[in-house]
Amino acid sequence: MSDTPFGFGLPPEEPEDGDEGKKKDPTGGGQGSGSPFGANPFGFGGLPGMGGGQGGADNPFAAMFGAMNPTDLGAAFQQLGQMLSYEGGPVNWDMAKQIARQVVAQGTADGVKDASVGPAEKSAVEEAVRLADLWLDQVTSLPSGANTAVAWSRAEWVEATLPAWKELVDPVAERVGTAMGDVLPQEMQAMAGPLIGMMRSMGGAMFGQQIGQAIGALAGEVVGSTDVGLPLGPAGRAALLPLNVASFGKDLSVPSDEVRLYLALREAAHQRLFAHVPWLRAHLFGAVESYARGIKVDTSKLEEAVSQLDPTHPEQLQEALQSGMFQPQDTPEQKAALARLETALALVEGWVDAVVHEAAKSRLTSADALRETLRRRRATGGPAEQTFATLIGLELRPRRLRDASRLWASLTDARGVDGRDGLWEHPDMLPTATDLDDPDGFVHREHLDFSELDKMLGEAAKGDRDPKDGDGDGDEKK
């Protein structure tokens, strides 16, 4: 597990003035221009007019009142009011969205700012996805899963993927929120209702701040809606981010249209899998939730933080959340959930890698180079993988992805396209983590054909039902 909750903290980019920039902020924000709110959970450190002020190191509110103009003061109180009045789920998603949009607006470390997608870029993406689907038709039995192809700006990616992030993060954040209310002794909880409510509101706001920073930073790196191996965007919508596609291919010495087409192949392949394997999305998200239920909170650290909480230093609770109090339980159930999730994600990414390579290797001269670039991006912990790993506290091992890709390629050689893709009909037919260690053994092993079994069961049920019996209980026969 990371040192910060879910690993959320600063975006990858640091301010140009580095440590000097942090020293200039006596409020304890410590993030310079790299974050809209800084480390202060109330967000005062990054507001205009908050660059200095006497007494800020001891009392953040003194700096606020001493240095802010009336407009900034009103904005600060509005944000404080939103934080303390929040009564939603474990994460303040309104705040997360606001911060993510602000991080996107700041631009990436290379100085590239977000921009609206023009007609020419939209047309190029639509054409790339259309051609990608034509190529994929020849290498997989799964039909197209993309009803539309869209070109998103970074801000549009944030808006479109927030519902999926909510589904992924809320289960873990819920455990933290519950722990925050349970740290007080039972006899005090009845009397401390308002305090508990305030703590939950603050917790939701702090999670919202950190998640918003992470999603905003990730928006500057991802090239589509499936970079983390999960369907983050709306169903049936293949998406590419032209700005990030251009950044991805900038130093590869590969024609931009080939880069775009290769990434469109990956996006379209993911869409096919998630559209035509109806149980897959629920299986993956359910594994995330199962794993999240096994996260435990070191309540002793949280109790210590609450007992020493100084109202004039609300950032103490933020520091407590960053002290590494979240650990997975070492139980058989937790290990099983982790193995199930890691294996399922490896199988998804391995299938996409194998299918895309088969479609591109004879058509794109740069197919091998692009494939290896993406694999290295995974192996070195690319931004998408890092964010997903820290979201749920797991590291997806690149070795499993390569093993899965080899297994799917071997299945294609041994059983053909239909035999390979037929394994997606039922989760029990898929390879296990053990099978990834012995792909040849799995490839040549006999498997039940669940489609035939379902057909036999259906025919048996039909035979037990008399055509004249409207409700199937045989009354008409009497």
Side-chain angles (χ1 to χ4, degrees), residues 53-340:
Q54 297 296 323
D58 298 325
N59 187 345
F61 296 102
M64 177 185 72
F65 292 122
M68 295 177 67
N69 61 46
T71 302
D72 296 332
L73 183 61
F77 273 115
Q78 182 180 11
Q79 291 175 357
L80 177 59
Q82 290 173 351
M83 174 187 293
L84 297 181
S85 64
Y86 176 70
E87 297 180 352
V91 178
N92 187 332
W93 286 101
D94 290 337
M95 177 173 286
K97 175 180 169 181
Q98 176 187 1
I99 293 176
R101 292 293 298 264
Q102 291 178 357
V103 172
V104 165
Q106 293 171 4
T108 50
D110 56 5
V112 177
K113 299 282 188 178
D114 193 22
S116 299
V117 179
E121 292 172 316
K122 292 180 180 179
S123 178
V125 168
E126 291 171 356
E127 177 63 20
V129 172
R130 184 194 66 79
L131 184 55
D133 262 335
L134 289 176
W135 291 2
L136 290 172
D137 283 338
Q138 302 173 39
V139 296
T140 175
S141 61
L142 299 180
S144 174
N147 301 323
T148 57
V150 295
W152 284 339
S153 66
R154 293 166 178 169
E156 288 171 328
W157 181 89
V158 169
E159 296 280 351
T161 62
L162 271 177
W165 290 119
K166 185 177 188 297
E167 192 173 348
L168 283 168
V169 175
D170 272 353
V172 183
E174 179 65 39
R175 291 193 60 79
V176 179
T178 300
M180 290 178 69
D182 292 342
V183 295
L184 293 175
Q186 288 291 332
E187 60 272 14
M188 294 182 59
Q189 289 190 15
M191 298 181 294
L195 174 61
I196 293 175
M198 184 183 72
M199 288 173 61
R200 288 183 181 274
S201 296
M202 291 172 62
M206 286 183 284
F207 276 113
Q209 175 191 351
Q210 295 179 356
I211 292 167
Q213 289 175 352
I215 294 176
L218 184 58
E221 302 285 350
V222 294
V223 296
S225 70
T226 55
D227 283 36
V228 298
L230 290 172
L232 296 179
R237 191 172 298 176
L240 291 180
L241 283 69
L243 192 62
N244 293 353
V245 170
S247 296
F248 173 82
K250 182 175 60 175
D251 299 322
L252 298 181
S253 300
V254 175
S256 59
D257 57 340
E258 287 199 20
V259 174
R260 184 189 308 111
L261 184 50
Y262 192 87
L263 296 176
L265 280 166
R266 289 184 53 83
E267 178 75 9
H270 278 101
Q271 293 295 334
R272 288 182 181 233
L273 200 55
F274 289 116
H276 299 292
V277 182
W279 54 266
L280 183 56
R281 187 185 190 279
H283 179 76
L284 288 168
F285 279 71
V288 172
E289 186 173 356
S290 295
Y291 185 80
R293 283 198 298 266
I295 295 292
K296 64 180 180 181
V297 179
D298 187 343
T299 54
S300 63
K301 289 185 179 181
L302 194 54
E303 287 174 359
E304 182 181 0
V306 172
S307 65
Q308 299 177 1
L309 185 62
D310 183 347
T312 63
H313 290 80
E315 69 275 7
Q316 289 177 353
L317 191 55
Q318 174 85 350
E319 293 170 358
L321 288 174
Q322 296 174 344
S323 63
M325 64 178 65
F326 308 101
Q327 297 293 333
Q329 294 184 14
D330 188 18
T331 64
E333 294 78 11
Q334 181 74 343
K335 291 178 180 178
L338 176 61
R340 185 167 65 252

Side-chain angles (χ1 to χ4, degrees), residues 16-17 25 31 43 54 77 88 100 132 169 182 208 245 265 278 285 317 343 357 359 375 388 394 410 412 425 429 467:
E16 292 181 357
D17 52 2
D25 183 3
Q31 294 186 10
Q54 297 296 323
F77 273 115
V169 175
D182 292 342
V245 170
L265 280 166
F285 279 71
L317 191 55
T343 302
H357 182 68
R375 282 183 164 185
F388 177 66
L394 96 91
S410 297
T412 306
E425 291 180 2
M429 297 177 67

